[in-house]
Amino acid sequence: MLQNDKDTIVAIATGSGRGGVGVVRLSGENLDVYIKHLTNVAVTPRRAIFSQFLDDSGVAIDEGLLLYFPSPNSFTGESVLELQGHGGPIILDTLVKRCISLGARLARPGEFSERAFINNKMDLAQAEAVADLIDASSVEAARSAVRSMQGEFSTLVNKLVEDMIQIRIYVEAAIDFPEEEIDFLSNDSLFNDLDTLAKKMMSLLAKASQGALLKEGLTLVLAGKPNAGKSSLLNALAGYDAAIVTPVAGTTRDVLREKITIRGLPLNIIDTAGLRDTADEIEAEGVRRAWGEIETADYVLFLADSTDNIQCDLKSIWPDFFKRYPDSNQKLVLLLNKIDLSGLTQAELDSKENTFAISAKKQIGLDAFFEYLCQDVGYLNQTEGVFSARRRHLTALERGLDLVVIGTQQLRLAGAGELLAEDLRQAQKELSEITGQFSSDDLLGRIFSSFCIGK
Ligand SMILES: Nc1nc2c(ncn2[C@@H]2O[C@H](COP(=O)(O)OP(=O)(O)OP(=O)(O)O)[C@@H](O)[C@H]2O)c(=O)[nH]1
Ligand SMILES: [Mg+2]
């Protein structure tokens, strides 16, 4: 639950571990008592002042820079004090404890951002973008997070809400004052407005989808019979010997995960045990886990040894999958490996969908696969105008768009103005959830608590 409490909160703002500089941050309504007891100098707002940081008997715990941001001109909108000392865990912990002894309490995860949100310093999408910027796994993801943090995404969402309100005013008025006899159906401009609104929502959804892709990436599972070359491919992609590779069938048992970036797109690559029936208890557990990963992956890359596979389609090579999941709509890709030995070429496979001739060991043929992957997920590899976005933003936009489309149809086909009005009201609510204008405390609490402490 969001707590709009007045406690002064404190946390280490810099990353864990040792570093040249470490920052402890305090936020609260009135920080005079902290300034008085922690320092022996006079502070000037927004000016870095060199000072000792004192314990309760006036002995220095550390020394460094003090930065004071009186409310409301701070990150949280409250008064904020930053103690920039040396980046050792013991020093920073001692400083935090000292602040607690002066009355502060340890901040909950995301509480600084939460207060910034409560005090209207930023909306929800912006606060999420701060967390996404810190977590960004590629330059592209970081760029798009900065754009969202600066409010570009929120501005476009707010414009959509504004357009929606204009249409709602008209529709509601027409319903409330039937004597004016506004004829919905013969009003082309209303349909035009609805159409334009849906198009704008689609375009924002496309950009936001790019952002979500950049943030969340894709999970690719390497699956196949023992010795197909899964671990070799993992190593080739990771750029180092992450997994053990041997000519012994059944080498890999554990699930191995590597994060890589291809053309700015973050990929989680998962290597699994070779799929086969086995009496070996450990290997059988590995196979069970492999199926678990297969079920949840965005893409399953099934590797097969091209030296002993004359068939080139997944249904014949991997019947087990289709037996288990006859109705699956999961993305499957067939990678025919070891073409350095078999001499198979991509040209021979051109008529086959999602099938690529590769050599994991010699790193041949992987570009064609990545080209396919980027196209398939609609990844543009250009970050111009892309914002970071989360799954929940996409869901809200998708739901909002559906409502607008359905509402328009209700009006067009059945002249049902009331239904359109209700759909538009719901759609506006969906969009407002993105920026947090209409979000329940529960949702807000969940979002902020997923941030780390000190954010
Ligand atoms: N010539 C050639 N050998 C390969 C290629 N890819 C893998 N191998 C060899 O095939 C053998 C098995 O490779 P792994 O990568 O361990 O195969 P795996 O699919 O992980 O096997 P398990 O872990 O047992 O399921 C090793 O000797 C690899 O060097 C390739 O593209 N060309
Ligand atoms: Mg292996």
Side-chain angles (χ1 to χ4, degrees):
M1 274 307 245
L2 282 198
Q3 295 168 12
N4 194 0
D5 60 40
K6 307 284 182 207
D7 293 350
T8 294
I9 52 171
V10 62
I12 299 171
T14 37
S16 62
R18 290 148 214 263
V21 177
V23 178
V24 168
R25 181 159 61 167
L26 280 151
S27 176
E29 296 224 304
N30 185 346
L31 300 181
D32 289 353
V33 65
Y34 300 89
I35 295 168
K36 183 168 159 228
H37 288 100
L38 277 166
T39 74
N40 47 12
V41 294
V43 297
T44 315
R46 288 178 298 284
R47 285 280 163 84
I49 311 269
F50 182 75
S51 170
Q52 294 189 334
F53 308 145
L54 306 172
D55 71 10
D56 55 0
S57 42
V59 176
I61 300 167
D62 192 9
E63 57 181 29
L65 295 182
L66 262 182
L67 265 171
Y68 177 50
F69 304 89
S71 83
N73 300 316
S74 72
F75 177 74
T76 60
E78 302 172 331
S79 291
V80 167
L81 186 66
E82 280 188 16
L83 310 174
Q84 307 194 353
H86 295 92
I90 300 290
I91 303 164
L92 294 171
D93 275 349
T94 312
L95 280 175
V96 167
K97 283 193 186 119
R98 172 80 175 120
C99 294
I100 290 173
S101 76
L102 289 169
R105 73 163 165 78
L106 202 59
R108 294 191 307 272
E111 200 171 359
F112 288 91
S113 306
E114 186 181 311
R115 290 190 174 193
F117 170 73
I118 290 171
N119 294 324
N120 293 323
K121 282 285 160 178
M122 52 172 112
D123 66 33
L124 193 53
Q126 287 177 296
E128 288 172 315
V130 176
D132 294 344
L133 176 61
I134 294 168
D135 290 338
S137 59
S138 67
V139 177
E140 289 81 357
R143 289 222 176 100
S144 64
V146 167
R147 263 188 222 109
S148 291
M149 187 180 73
Q150 292 176 335
E152 278 190 43
F153 181 46
S154 306
T155 304
L156 288 175
V157 172
N158 290 336
K159 274 195 190 140
L160 285 177
V161 171
E162 215 23 69
D163 289 354
M164 231 173 235
I165 291 172
Q166 288 309 318
I167 299 178
R168 284 188 63 199
I169 290 172
Y170 176 83
V171 174
E172 304 267 356
I175 294 169
D176 289 346
F177 303 103
E179 64 276 13
E180 302 284 324
E181 289 192 359
I182 301 176
D183 184 358
F184 278 125
L185 280 168
S186 64
N187 189 336
D188 274 350
S189 91
L190 174 59
F191 282 114
N192 282 343
D193 288 352
L194 285 166
D195 208 39
T196 311
L197 177 65
K199 285 206 180 105
K200 281 188 189 165
M201 291 176 83
M202 268 184 246
S203 133
L204 187 58
L205 187 58
K207 280 185 184 167
S209 305
Q210 285 288 302
L213 204 54
L214 276 173
K215 173 181 153 43
E216 283 157 18
L218 294 170
T219 302
L220 312 187
V221 164
L222 308 177
K225 300 245 163 61
N227 259 356
K230 302 178 290 299
S231 302
S232 302
L233 182 55
L234 178 80
N235 292 351
L237 296 175
Y240 77 105
D241 283 342
I244 300 173
V245 167
T246 72
V248 179
T251 301
T252 306
R253 274 102 188 275
D254 277 321
V255 171
L256 293 164
R257 297 165 203 279
E258 287 292 324
K259 279 190 196 295
I260 63 163
T261 312
I262 298 286
R263 305 172 190 185
L265 180 64
L267 300 178
N268 307 309
I269 313 278
I270 300 183
D271 182 23
T272 59
L275 302 168
R276 66 170 169 186
D277 290 331
T278 167
D280 182 316
E281 202 180 323
I282 304 166
E283 193 181 353
E285 176 58 21
V287 171
R288 201 186 60 75
R289 292 183 185 203
W291 280 109
E293 296 299 331
I294 289 167
E295 277 166 27
T296 54
D298 294 316
Y299 283 81
V300 182
L301 315 186
F302 189 85
L303 272 86
D305 188 335
S306 62
T307 60
D308 56 33
N309 275 291
I310 2 124
Q311 295 149 318
C312 298
D313 75 286
L314 266 170
K315 284 222 157 88
S316 347
I317 296 186
W318 199 17
D320 286 359
F321 180 86
F322 298 92
K323 244 182 265 162
R324 274 181 186 241
Y325 310 108
D327 304 320
S328 165
N329 55 5
Q330 200 161 26
K331 297 274 185 183
L332 300 178
V333 173
L334 175 57
L335 299 180
L336 291 160
N337 189 27
K338 310 195 188 181
I339 57 167
D340 53 314
L341 298 179
S342 67
L344 179 74
T345 62
Q346 187 66 34
E348 293 170 59
L349 301 173
D350 263 358
S351 58
K352 307 273 181 196
E353 265 181 25
N354 312 349
T355 306
F356 299 91
I358 66 157
S359 166
K361 195 168 176 175
K362 307 269 162 154
Q363 307 207 14
I364 312 170
L366 293 171
D367 266 351
F369 164 65
F370 287 128
E371 191 61 46
Y372 152 82
L373 185 69
C374 290
Q375 274 205 0
D376 199 54
V377 293
Y379 177 63
L380 303 172
N381 192 23
Q382 51 107 348
T383 50
E384 244 359 87
V386 171
F387 333 99
S388 65
R390 297 181 164 200
R391 189 62 347 245
R392 73 166 198 95
H393 303 152
L394 300 188
T395 311
L397 274 168
E398 279 160 3
R399 284 204 199 130
L401 179 60
D402 278 353
L403 286 160
V404 170
V405 171
I406 292 169
T408 310
Q409 263 173 357
Q410 309 264 30
L411 182 66
R412 202 187 293 274
L413 302 177
E418 288 84 355
L419 295 180
L420 170 66
E422 177 54 22
D423 284 338
L424 288 177
R425 195 182 68 78
Q426 284 292 342
Q428 188 187 333
K429 198 160 160 264
E430 290 290 346
L431 290 196
S432 304
E433 279 212 343
I434 297 177
T435 51
Q437 252 175 312
F438 259 128
S439 303
S440 67
D441 276 2
D442 191 35
L443 173 70
L444 295 173
R446 257 188 297 144
I447 289 171
F448 286 115
S449 61
S450 70
F451 295 7
C452 60
I453 292 184
K455 256 187 223 165

